[in-house]
């Protein structure tokens, strides 16, 4: 049996003129590497849109990184 955890990461990356595309993408891999400890294995990414109930103008787009590991 497995257990799962998730980490939410902003879907949109804002860069400055000095950053390359590779540097921005590296930030995603840094999150994966940081979370892949203690037996946690990266499973995939699920996009999530969060909308406040009273206003559709307050929408956030997130990527949810999913990790799994065997229950000990």
């Amino acid at each position: 049996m497995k257990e799962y955890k998730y980490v939410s990461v902003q879907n949109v990356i804002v860069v400055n003129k000095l950053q390359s595309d590779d540097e921005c993408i590296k930030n995603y891999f840094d999150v994966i590497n940081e979370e892949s400890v203690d037996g946690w294995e990266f499973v995939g990414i699920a996009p999530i849109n969060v909308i406040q109930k009273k206003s559709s103008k307050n929408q956030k787009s997130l990527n949810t990184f999913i990790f799994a590991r065997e229950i000990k």
Side-chain angles (χ1 to χ4, degrees):
M1 183 179 286
K2 292 187 178 189
E3 63 180 325
Y4 296 87
K5 74 173 182 176
Y6 69 92
V7 176
S8 295
V9 180
Q10 289 293 326
N11 193 16
V12 177
I13 300 172
V14 179
V15 299
N16 63 41
K17 293 179 183 180
L18 301 176
Q19 289 178 298
S20 69
D21 292 344
D22 286 340
E23 287 176 305
C24 297
I25 293 169
K26 182 184 173 298
N27 292 335
Y28 276 115
F29 285 99
D30 288 344
V31 172
I32 293 170
N33 287 328
E34 289 170 10
E35 297 297 330
S36 295
V37 294
D38 297 328
W40 290 104
E41 183 178 329
F42 177 72
V43 175
I45 299 173
I48 305 270
N49 289 318
V50 179
I51 301 172
Q52 283 187 336
K53 193 172 185 177
K54 294 183 180 180
S55 172
S56 62
K57 292 180 181 180
N58 293 331
Q59 180 174 338
K60 293 181 190 176
S61 294
L62 302 172
N63 279 328
T64 303
F65 291 4
I66 302 167
F67 298 84
R69 71 177 174 185
E70 292 293 329
I71 295 176
K72 299 175 184 179

